[in-house]
Amino acid sequence: MGRHHARVLAGLEGVELVGVVDPMGDRNGWAQGAPVLATVEELLALGVDYAVVACPTALHEEVGLKLAEAGVCALVEKPVADTVDGARRLVEAFESRDLVAGVGHIERCNPALRSLRARLEAGELGDVFQVVTRRQGPFPHRIADVGVVKDLATHDIDLTGWVTGQTYTSIAARTVSKSGRPHEDMVSAVGQLSDGTMVNHLVNWLSPLKERFTSVTGERGCFIADTLTADLTFYSNAAVATEWEALRAFRGVAEGDMVRYAIPKREPLLVEHELFRDAVLGKSDDICTLRQGLRTVEVAAAVLESAATGDTVRLNGSAKG
């Protein structure tokens, strides 16, 4: 992800990309002409206002703490840390110094999901009953230090809480590892949110089909978001009269109109950086905070705990942070 961050930052209005840290150097020319440094300390010596942490997940805490101690704001790639304790230490480090810090849960900047969230907030769906996500595809060779739960499922955990405005109160999950790697490569999870909404997540690295699917079903119909194409479609309920006596007793829904919305499709990573830049400047707070990122790591840890024990794991669903 670092190369994509560098590309966007190099052209971002109001921001100057002054340095990139990579101990391996810039063998592919991805630094956009910025100096390539070997250590975080060298970057801090340049007097940066904020930094993007896009290194392996296991190093997020170490790098993030150095930035916090130096008084530098940070946008940390998701997940915010590889452990719950590590995420908590990062939250404390940045909050205690009153520094702006966020997590790169980029799905919050996907046009389809931003439109979906706005429509749910406006009450267009009525009461929400269920959220279903499917995130499937081939194994990404860039990932080596975490499994599919922390790398991919954290997208769905965060976006589900974000679009609904709710938190997880329970989760039950099963995982498998079929590819010979030390971490799980498939997970299926069922959970419940603080308002009673049911959630289902299917995530894997074992499918030749790449799919990024989110559906939200409620009393007025169903929203379907395809975050690969950034399309949002609404399937409405319809009340259809019938003269067939045998069907009159069935109290369900009927298929109504289908609407595919025309929405502006800007690059999510660019939107993410614009929002974080504005947060650093004090103009906006529309970012995924470290505390929200911590909550996602807590739910991911509960997913792995449930898979290991076979039990449903209860979570405190009161804090939205």
Side-chain angles (χ1 to χ4, degrees):
M1 278 299 293
R3 60 179 172 136
H4 299 297
H5 284 293
R7 170 181 56 81
V8 172
L9 285 166
L12 185 62
E13 183 179 354
V15 170
E16 180 185 358
L17 178 62
V18 296
V20 173
V21 176
D22 192 333
M24 302 298 292
D26 186 19
R27 295 171 295 180
N28 297 294
W30 290 337
Q32 303 294 317
V36 180
L37 312 169
T39 67
V40 174
E41 288 75 14
E42 292 177 64
L43 181 68
L44 294 173
L46 298 178
V48 294
D49 297 303
Y50 75 88
V52 176
V53 180
C55 55
T57 305
L59 298 176
H60 285 185
E61 181 186 356
E62 175 187 339
V63 174
L65 290 178
K66 288 181 180 179
L67 295 171
E69 290 166 5
V72 174
C73 301
L75 175 62
V76 184
E77 260 301 338
K78 62 86 206 160
V80 62
D82 62 340
T83 66
V84 172
D85 287 343
R88 286 177 180 151
R89 285 189 286 269
L90 284 172
V91 170
E92 170 60 24
F94 282 92
E95 286 189 351
S96 65
R97 294 170 173 85
D98 198 25
L99 294 169
V100 176
V103 187
H105 280 292
I106 196 169
E107 291 287 41
R108 293 189 180 206
C109 300
N110 187 285
L113 292 178
R114 291 184 74 82
S115 179
L116 169 57
R117 182 177 188 244
R119 293 176 185 281
L120 291 180
E121 288 180 337
E124 293 185 19
L125 197 59
D127 288 340
V128 175
F129 304 150
Q130 182 185 47
V131 179
V132 176
T133 70
R134 296 195 302 270
R135 187 173 299 267
Q136 307 181 88
F139 178 76
H141 294 285
R142 62 182 174 81
I143 302 299
D145 60 335
V146 294
V148 74
V149 171
K150 291 182 179 179
D151 183 66
L152 280 188
T154 48
H155 278 302
D156 295 312
I157 293 167
D158 179 75
L159 75 85
T160 296
W162 180 70
V163 299
T164 61
Q166 304 300 316
T167 54
Y168 286 75
T169 57
S170 69
I171 198 81
R174 296 294 181 269
T175 60
V176 297
S177 182
K178 295 292 187 181
S179 59
R181 300 179 180 91
H183 302 287
E184 78 288 342
D185 41 37
M186 175 180 284
V187 62
S188 179
V190 177
Q192 188 173 49
L193 302 182
S194 47
D195 66 347
T197 296
M198 181 171 66
V199 300
N200 302 79
H201 302 308
L202 178 61
V203 189
N204 76 65
W205 280 331
L206 301 176
S207 172
L209 167 68
K210 189 171 184 179
E211 183 180 34
R212 301 289 185 267
F213 170 94
T214 300
S215 74
V216 182
T217 301
E219 63 176 328
R220 295 175 186 163
C222 177
F223 284 112
I224 302 291
D226 183 337
T227 52
L228 282 177
T229 60
D231 287 325
L232 179 65
T233 305
F234 178 58
Y235 295 82
S236 67
N237 295 340
V240 179
T242 178
E243 296 180 2
W244 189 358
E245 186 66 30
L247 294 182
R248 286 186 178 179
F250 175 69
R251 296 175 62 87
V253 300
E255 185 176 351
D257 295 331
M258 181 189 77
V259 179
R260 177 167 292 174
Y261 299 104
I263 52 180
K265 296 183 179 181
R266 303 182 67 225
E267 182 184 359
L269 190 60
L270 174 59
V271 174
E272 179 179 86
H273 276 292
E274 288 176 342
L275 293 172
F276 191 75
R277 172 203 62 196
D278 291 348
V280 172
L281 293 172
K283 297 179 179 179
S284 170
D285 61 358
D286 188 12
I287 62 172
C288 177
T289 66
L290 289 193
R291 190 164 290 278
Q292 290 168 339
L294 163 62
R295 182 63 181 172
T296 296
V297 173
E298 289 175 338
V299 177
V303 168
L304 292 173
E305 179 185 345
S306 174
T309 63
D311 298 327
T312 296
V313 176
R314 305 293 174 182
L315 297 122
N316 177 3
S318 60
K320 294 184 181 180

